[in-house]
Amino acid sequence: MDRLQTDRFKICLSGFKYLYLAYLLLAFNAFVNGTAWMTMASYIITVGGAVLVFWMLLRGKKYLKMYNIWILTAFILSYGISMTLHLSYGILENVKGAVWLILPVFLIYLTAGDMSGEEIRKEMAGLSWMYVIYCTAVNIVSISMVCWGRKYDFTDGSGTVHAIGYRWNRLWGIYDDPNHGATITMAALFMIAYLFFKAKSTAFRILFVVMAAVNYVYLVLSDSRTAILGLAAGVVLGGIFRIWCMPQKGKNEGSGRNCALMSAAVLAAVILIVAGDFGIKTVYKPIDAVLAAKYEQKTTESINNNRRKQNLQQDVSNGRLQIWKSGLEIVETAPVFGVGYRNISSYAKEHFPEGYLVNNSNGVQYDSMHNLEMDILVSQGIVGAVIFVLFLGNLLFLLTGKGRKIPERYRGEAAFALSSAGAFGMASTFLSFIFYVNAPQNYCFWLFLGHLMQFIRMGEENCGRQTMCTDEETGKRNMSA
């Protein structure tokens, strides 16, 4: 009976993961996210997620051994305290923030603790296929907007105007923000690389190369420094981890050569990322000049090509330093528990009406810090920040102390998971996600971090105190058990 219940839960959970990811991807599509059926979908996801969280709690013993469970629970409780202390700024928004914090942590991250290695492989492949097909399709549309989408404003069914297309010398495409579009695409590139190395068919590998080219071109034309930095950081982090986890063979068995080859591959990938960014922009520049001239002939309106360049010359952080300075001012007024993430804008209006978050040359009212660490400090104060540091410290301890125990057959998946999660970790230094917001980037971070932690836990259970365990040793232990 228990096995039947387990299977039912896993089936429902798997279906929810696909639906949840589809919803998040569409929620960042400007042509779709304002529709009535997307509003209905948000309620379905919320209710379905709540039911699954309750069902999961009834099976709680299966997840108690999952790494970081108590630290993350403490972080969520800290958010609850910060939220409760500032409910006067809005109950509904604060509750939304709690829901979007809990669902990824519980249903995406913690549930990995009840998965086998093969179940994780299957989930990685299935979700990756869905993700890359969607991103490739919408990024083809996005790239085409350099021709027809210049300064394109799309008005949805609710009357909201979406500034998308190509503007300020950046390709926004179908996204309301080019940085979000680029970081969503960043995940697609990691997934394409994973599927490429797992593919056995030459035809599929050619398909993945084409997909990679489409997504990388969009990422470059979005001019997102955040995504380029995240992409490079993820490659380096995953490569170092893969090298470090290589079996310790004798000098005559080629271990040094394998490490050298892997190091060269990582270096080549980083060079390709940076050089490709420069090369594509160089090739596109004269094309853009022709397209811009045609646009201005038709509309007699300047597309302001130099605006972004001028802004970056004046402030290389593009306003982030001013945002962070305003965040520190808020911290001084609520240092212990913060003000709650969903209250940042309202709190700034009340206490700092002349501050940068409210009063700036861009005419934007900022509701986040564009930095994960600052978001946490402002939202949950010193308490939340301390818990977060403990979380990071424990992740580092697990990776360095137990990472080499991951079974050999899963080390490729583990390196891929670390690359993807690490890329988002780096990107979150300049863009707000991972906690608090409902976004594909959050989903991917917690999905792959959960997979990585489960691989480490499997190795720890099979290898005990050994510093490294081979598949042969793991098999012997499983047979003896």
Side-chain angles (χ1 to χ4, degrees), residues 160-288:
T160 301
V161 178
H162 299 264
I164 56 176
Y166 189 86
R167 56 187 67 226
W168 302 347
N169 222 29
R170 302 183 72 180
L171 179 57
W172 299 46
I174 59 100
Y175 302 98
D176 289 292
D177 184 310
N179 283 322
H180 278 291
T183 49
I184 289 170
T185 300
M186 179 180 72
L189 288 169
F190 281 111
M191 293 177 183
I192 290 170
Y194 171 70
L195 293 173
F196 175 87
F197 286 111
K198 290 295 178 183
K200 297 179 180 179
S201 166
T202 301
F204 275 117
R205 290 196 169 186
I206 293 172
L207 173 64
F208 293 136
V209 169
V210 173
M211 285 181 163
V214 169
N215 286 281
Y216 184 68
V217 167
Y218 169 78
L219 188 150
V220 169
L221 295 183
S222 73
D223 198 26
S224 173
R225 298 172 297 169
T226 299
I228 289 292
L229 181 61
L231 191 63
V235 169
V236 171
L237 188 60
I240 291 174
F241 183 74
R242 191 72 180 94
I243 293 168
W244 186 67
C245 287
M246 281 184 174
Q248 301 298 296
K249 298 180 180 180
K251 292 183 179 180
N252 296 325
E253 295 185 50
S255 59
R257 182 185 61 185
N258 290 339
C259 288
L261 288 173
M262 180 63 71
S263 300
V266 171
L267 180 61
V270 173
I271 292 174
L272 181 62
I273 290 169
V274 177
D277 180 59
F278 175 78
I280 291 173
K281 286 177 179 175
T282 301
V283 171
Y284 174 70
K285 191 173 181 179
I287 299 173
D288 181 61

Side-chain angles (χ1 to χ4, degrees), residues 9-10 27 46 74 91 95 146 168 231 240 248 254 277 298 306 360 366 394 396 405 418 425-426 441 458 467:
F9 176 79
K10 285 189 173 182
T46 302
I91 296 176
V95 171
V146 301
W168 302 347
L231 191 63
I240 291 174
Q248 301 298 296
D277 180 59
K298 291 180 180 179
N306 294 321
N360 55 76
Y366 293 98
N394 196 45
L396 183 61
K405 296 180 181 181
L418 180 59
M426 175 57 73
Q441 300 97 311
M458 289 164 52
T467 57

Side-chain angles (χ1 to χ4, degrees), residues 17 63 65-68 72 104-117 120 123-124 391 395 398-399 406 413-414 417-418 420-422 442-458:
K17 285 182 177 180
Y63 311 103
K65 292 183 179 181
M66 184 60 171
Y67 293 134
N68 300 304
L72 289 171
V105 172
F106 274 71
L107 295 182
I108 308 300
Y109 174 80
L110 290 180
T111 53
D114 189 32
M115 297 178 71
S116 67
I120 291 176
E123 181 170 271
M124 273 188 175
F391 175 62
L395 287 180
L398 291 169
L399 286 171
I406 295 173
E413 280 80 8
L418 180 59
S420 303
N442 287 39
Y443 183 105
C444 291
F445 175 83
W446 291 110
L447 177 76
F448 294 125
L449 185 65
H451 290 167
L452 176 62
M453 291 296 105
Q454 180 62 357
F455 282 137
I456 292 176
R457 193 166 75 90
M458 289 164 52

Side-chain angles (χ1 to χ4, degrees), residues 72-139:
L72 289 171
T73 299
F75 187 86
I76 291 171
L77 291 175
S78 170
Y79 175 88
I81 294 172
S82 301
M83 176 187 76
T84 303
L85 291 175
H86 298 89
L87 284 178
S88 59
Y89 291 102
I91 296 176
L92 182 60
E93 284 301 310
N94 278 287
V95 171
K96 279 184 181 179
V99 170
W100 302 133
L101 175 60
I102 290 171
L103 287 189
V105 172
F106 274 71
L107 295 182
I108 308 300
Y109 174 80
L110 290 180
T111 53
D114 189 32
M115 297 178 71
S116 67
E118 293 308 310
E119 285 175 328
I120 291 176
R121 274 182 170 171
K122 183 178 179 181
E123 181 170 271
M124 273 188 175
L127 291 173
S128 293
W129 265 107
M130 173 182 165
Y131 196 102
V132 301
I133 289 173
Y134 172 84
C135 283
T136 302
V138 298
N139 282 340

Side-chain angles (χ1 to χ4, degrees), residues 136-150:
T136 302
V138 298
N139 282 340
I140 288 173
V141 175
S142 293
I143 293 171
S144 74
M145 294 180 81
V146 301
C147 297
W148 62 271
R150 299 199 163 230

